Amino acid sequence: MTAIRGIVEQDYIIEHVQRKFQCTVLWCEGRACLEYGSKEELDKLAEYVRSRFDKELLDVFFTAVESIPSDS
């Protein structure tokens, strides 16, 4: 897979991340916050963004938080 170099819109990266991974993007005051399922998933997300877009995960998302398991 070739990395996309140059200026890439944040929304474009977020859209690709959501299509490729089972994650949720929450919006807080207009800023994207990533909700992920596990540490392993977070590592995969970070590596994908780094290798595909040459950016760090927290350059795209304001923050990343682990999902809270449901009680059901």
Side-chain angles (χ1 to χ4, degrees):
M1 179 180 338
T2 313
I4 297 173
R5 305 280 184 219
I7 298 172
V8 179
E9 290 291 325
Q10 178 184 18
D11 291 342
Y12 179 81
I13 298 171
I14 292 169
E15 181 182 315
H16 275 264
V17 167
Q18 284 185 291
R19 274 193 269 159
K20 181 144 179 87
F21 296 94
Q22 294 293 338
C23 61
T24 303
V25 176
L26 309 169
W27 292 90
C28 178
E29 297 182 7
R31 297 180 291 186
C33 302
L34 176 67
E35 183 181 33
Y36 61 92
S38 68
K39 173 73 168 106
E40 293 79 20
E41 180 184 34
L42 180 62
D43 292 342
K44 288 179 186 177
L45 285 158
E47 180 54 35
Y48 175 76
V49 171
R50 192 177 304 113
S51 65
R52 181 85 166 110
F53 301 103
D54 195 30
K55 294 195 176 288
E56 293 300 317
L57 190 67
L58 293 179
D59 290 339
V60 177
F61 295 95
F62 174 67
T63 190
V65 294
E66 189 168 3
S67 299
I68 300 173
S70 65
D71 289 336
S72 49

